[in-house]
Amino acid sequence: MSGKLVTAVIYDNRPEAEVCVSMLEAYGIYALAAHIPDSRLGLIHVQVVDSDVEAAKGLIGSVPEEGD
């Protein structure tokens, strides 16, 4: 991995963030779920390498929301 880690999406719970990380990794995108110390309590940032952020956001945006 080379490049800077950037936030692709923010979740309010770890299980949803971990599902997102698993999906991104299934598409070959390195991702991790992290609580950023200066963020609001409980928010989990899914981070990817900066060169993959647009692809990651495209994949995340293609996942239907619950109830759709």
Side-chain angles (χ1 to χ4, degrees):
M1 175 189 82
S2 63
K4 183 174 105 173
L5 289 175
V6 296
T7 299
V9 66
I10 300 172
Y11 289 97
D12 60 2
N13 66 72
R14 183 163 290 278
E16 284 185 34
E18 293 295 344
V19 168
C20 181
V21 167
S22 294
M23 188 241 343
L24 291 172
E25 289 180 340
Y27 282 93
I29 296 174
Y30 174 81
L32 61 89
H35 174 76
I36 307 297
D38 63 344
S39 71
R40 292 189 335 207
L41 183 64
L43 295 181
I44 307 299
H45 293 240
V46 173
Q47 296 194 304
V48 299
V49 177
D50 56 358
S51 60
D52 290 334
V53 72
E54 292 305 318
K57 286 182 178 184
L59 288 167
I60 294 164
S62 69
V63 176
E65 292 292 320
E66 190 173 316
D68 282 354

